[in-house]
Structure formats: structure tokens, C-alpha cells
Amino acid sequence: MHNHHSPWRGWVGRVVPAGLVAIALAVGLGGCTGIPRDGVVHAGTDLVPDANPAPVFLPALPQKDASTDSILRGFIDASSSPENNYDIARQFLVPQFGSVWDPTVGVTVDNGFGRTLTVVDEGTTLVAITPIAEVDVSGEYREVDATPVPLRYEFAKVGDQWRISAAPNGTVIDENTFNDVFSAQPVYFYDPGFRYLVPDLRWFPRGASAPTKLVNAVLGGPSAWLDGAVATAFPAGSKLTADAVQVVGRQAMVDLNSEALNADRQTLQRMKAQLVASLPAGLSVDITIDQNSQSIDDLQSGAPTVDPRVDARALVLRGGEFGFLAATGQSITPVDGLSATIAQLAPTAVTLSSGQGTAAVLAADGVYVVRAGDDPELLDSRSGLLAPSSDNDGFVWSVPSNDPSALVVYSPTGEATVLPTPWPEATSITALKISRDGSRLIALLGTGSETRFVVASIIRDGSVPTGIGPPVLLAGGGGVGLDATWIDELTVASLSALPSGESRIVTQQLGGVSSTLESPASSRFIVGSNSVRDLRALTDIGSLEVQRGAGWQARIDDVTLLATQQGLGR
């Protein structure tokens, strides 16, 4: 093993913002390319994009004749308020340092009650904090390993008053204050075919500066793990002429530099759609270029899909019938042209494609593709295959559970391609699911006794998958991984069996927080619908379980399989 950094990136077990790296909060991801090993998960409160006004914090100013301890605590508290370029926090600093301290490099979020101060000498204090997450300069959020870390602060007298003369760049904010001050909002990039907008969640302080930060995040491009898998409508080099987006009424005024003149009419329309999706709901966008007005219509034909939905009914095989289970009762509505053929295969897993015209089916003798009105076509006859996945370009993804590197992708014409995988250390795989926009996948991987839940981007040449990007480690439930699913464009879930015999479901917002759900006993499969509340589970005795109140209840029994849907179609 070489001592270089692994290309694995994780929302669990990642390093802190650059400004604090010197303070030794590095959570190592050392080793060769492979599955990340590190990471402790912390449940948090889901923050949804909103238009709430920013809370107004008025931290206390430095008190006359305050001790170094008081100055330090006051500075950390004041760092929670970004108003006027952190003006109150800077008043705790000596003037020379106040002009160079950079609070914008990132945020370390801690639990707030584990801080301990150690006085080294009159001019130096160490503060031990227990980080649970960090947000970097581009607004990317990561849960991190909760190991106490010392931060060093130095003091000097200004006249006869103590002030801080050295401190880490970035800010430290306790979890509760962070949830008040920061808001999560996806910025969007296109799939290579410009049919879907793919989310990339970012966290910025609420308030007047948020639209500027969000537009800059779009112009700055996607997070590293999505690089190469998504596209932007903005011509290379496009920037704001002044680092500000003015919001007048409910309209965001975005003035771009002359690089944006390279955009044709359709590109301008796509740029506008990308910004409208990336700004808080209710804001319209007016794009100008070097102050020159641009008359940009909304995209009429070919408007991109955001957060593709699926049929809210459960898709099941029960009593030899395949189709949509009625919201109440036991009636099953068949899928036109597909249900009878699928049922005849006696399948153990089915993925219904976007548009509901084809399905990838796992039967006793392998993976089939079934097209409406046609005979089933056997694609993959290898043994031990997982439930197949399909994407919205008609490719079927298939891999044996005991050979995670033997991933084969079948084109709509049946051509097989072995796709290189970025998890050489994996010895088993229990789930592989493609996102509804076709740009990302999740996988449950095993290395001996460990299960790791990961997300990665899908690299394509046109519509053809050619590779998988660097995997990102997600929150897992411990124990043995059983199944995983997409819930919506930003939320995924995994199902694990614990050593105690209990089942555990963990949901993860990609680029956000993770949470543990109550889980029905003996769960074996999970399938997402359109929200966390609509997540369904199938037990090992064929009971279809749905969430009710704080727990679960049986909806119907004797269900043979619970199918995955990829979308309603375009």
C-alpha cells in the first residue's frame, strides 16, 4: 500500500476545512484506491430548502477588562454571526490579525457541550472541540469522526485590553446554532443529455448573501465526486461581474461577464433554468451580460426534469400477478404490455424503467429485459446475480453478489460491456441502484466483515456508460447490508441486519445529514417512493410494511417481491 491519499471521498470521515487542517483534525483516508474505512455517523435534523428570513443574532461585544477566557468565548460565539463580514467577531481580534483572519474558508460544527479550555500560558489557550460535521468554502457538508481536536488561540494586549492575535481560519459553530444560521439548498447541473437537472447540495448562511453564494456555486462547477458526470450550461469562464446578486422583489438580478456572450439562445435558456432551480423557491432570475439586458424565454420544449417522481403505488408481485397495488384493498393494476410476461418469469426482482415501457427482471436463470409487447430477452446468465438496475437510456446493469468488479452493462441492443469499478477491495455486493436521473449510483459493498454504503457518479460518453467516479462513503447502519434504495433525488436509504437480529434503516441526504429510522422486524428489502414517509419494506415472510405514525404496520401479506421504479417518464 502506498502512503498517498485514497481518491475515496466521504460525507463520513472527511477532513475539516482548509483553515483548520493545521490544527490536526485530519481524519485519514489513507491507503490505495478502495472502500473508505473511516467514519462515525451522527444523526441530525433534516433541513429543507426554505425562504425563511435569517435569524438576527446580536452577539455581545468585547467587555471592558475582559479576561482572555471571556474574550475567547465571546469570539467563538460572535463567529456565528456573518453579518457585515463578521464585524462583531473581528472586534475580538487585534487589528492587524482582524484584517487577515478568514472566516469564510469553512465551518466546523460541534456538539457545543464538549468544549474544554486549556491555558498553556498567559498568551495561549487551547480549546478542545468535538466536531461532528464540517462545511467547506464551497458549501459542501460532511459528517466527520467525533474525535476531540485542539484549536490554538493566542492573545496580545491592545492598550490594556486583551484581544486575539492568532486563531484558526474558519468558524466553530455548535450544532443547534448551525441549524438556525445555515440552510441547505441544492445547486443543479445537467446530465450530459440536458434532460435532467442533477442536485448538488450546498449549505450557506441564511440571509442577503445566500443568492450570491448559490450563484457562485453554480458558476464554480459541481462537487469533485460529480465532476465529469454532469454538465453546466454556462460557458467556460462565466463569472459575476460584481460579486453580488441583487434581489429586487422576488427577482434575482444576475449580471455575468463577457464570457457568457458565447451562449446561444438555447444555452441562455438552459442557464436560466439552471439558476432558477438552484435559487430558493419563488425567486425568478433576470440574466444580464455586462449590464446588457438579455431577453431569455423559458425553455418550452425540452425543459429539464427536476427530482423525477414515481407512481406512488407499490409495484408488487403477489399471487402470480404483477402490477400496482391499489392504495387500499388488494386489487392489482397491471403494467400495460409487461405484467403478464414478467409474472411468467417467476421473478425475484424487477426494476421498471422510466416511462414504464421496459423492465429489468431477475429470474432463476438470470437477468432478462422485458419490453412491452415482446418476448423476454435473457441478457445475463451468470449465477448469483443481484437485482438488476436500469437507467433512462435503456441500459441494464447487472453484477454477481460475490464478484463486485464483474459489473456488466447491457445496451438497448443487448451489447454487453464490462464496466471498470472503483472498489477493488470489495469482496461482495448486495445492492446496486441507479438514480432516477441516471447520473449516480448507490452500492452496498462488503469487505470481509464490514459493509460500506457508497454513492458514485456515472461517467458517460453520450448516453453510453463508460466508468464510475470516485465513491463517496455514506452513513451505514452497521451489521450486514441487505438492501438500498433511492428515495428522491437527494435522499437514499440502506437496510442492515444487526448482530442482535434486528433490522436497521438509515437514511442519508447526499451532502447532508443522516438519520436512523425505526425498522420493521425481519425486513429484507426496501424500496423508495417519493418521500421518506413513503419508504416501503418487505419482510422475509412476504409482509409489505408501510410507515404509520412513529412505527410501521403490515399493509398486505403474501407479497413475492417489491419492485423498483425509475420514474414516470418524460
Side-chain angles (χ1 to χ4, degrees), residues 180-193:
D180 286 337
V181 175
F182 277 70
S183 184
Q185 170 78 18
V187 296
Y188 285 90
F189 300 93
Y190 287 94
D191 76 300

Side-chain angles (χ1 to χ4, degrees), residues 14-99:
R14 177 97 191 288
V15 296
V16 295
L20 298 184
V21 167
I23 320 297
L25 180 57
V27 179
L29 297 184
C32 298
T33 307
I35 302 167
R37 296 183 175 81
D38 302 306
V40 176
V41 177
H42 306 277
T45 304
D46 281 312
L47 291 183
V48 296
D50 61 25
N52 291 346
V56 177
F57 284 99
L58 294 175
L61 293 166
Q63 299 300 300
K64 182 174 170 56
D65 299 327
S67 65
T68 55
D69 179 282
S70 174
I71 291 294
L72 177 54
R73 292 178 189 273
F75 169 69
I76 292 175
D77 285 345
S79 298
S80 302
S81 174
E83 295 301 311
N84 299 318
N85 192 22
Y86 297 85
D87 177 62
I88 295 178
R90 291 182 195 276
Q91 294 186 46
F92 288 85
L93 309 176
V94 301
Q96 306 94 300
F97 181 58
S99 62

Side-chain angles (χ1 to χ4, degrees), residues 422-558:
W423 41 72
E425 294 173 17
T427 55
S428 64
I429 180 169
T430 50
L432 181 83
K433 304 289 175 71
I434 310 299
S435 65
R436 296 165 191 170
D437 53 50
S439 299
R440 299 158 293 161
L441 60 79
I442 52 174
L444 267 178
L445 302 165
T447 60
S449 61
E450 284 189 292
T451 295
R452 293 178 193 138
F453 186 30
V454 301
V455 64
S457 65
I458 297 170
I459 313 298
R460 295 177 187 268
D461 181 1
S463 65
V464 180
T466 57
I468 300 172
V472 174
L473 180 64
L474 302 175
V480 177
L482 298 177
D483 200 10
T485 188
W486 289 88
I487 291 174
D488 59 29
E489 63 172 2
L490 270 173
T491 315
V492 296
S494 66
L495 170 68
S496 302
L498 302 180
S500 64
E502 296 174 86
S503 300
R504 175 176 290 165
I505 296 172
V506 174
T507 63
Q508 168 93 52
Q509 190 183 41
L510 300 180
V513 298
S514 60
S515 301
T516 300
L517 291 184
E518 281 293 322
S519 174
S522 306
S523 303
R524 180 62 192 87
F525 301 98
I526 53 173
V527 171
S529 182
N530 294 309
S531 72
V532 173
R533 292 297 306 164
D534 296 326
L535 182 66
R536 300 180 176 101
L538 184 63
T539 71
D540 54 11
I541 59 168
S543 175
L544 176 61
E545 304 276 331
V546 294
Q547 295 180 77
R548 288 289 180 269
W552 294 74
Q553 78 176 37
R555 161 70 178 84
I556 198 169
D557 58 8
D558 297 327

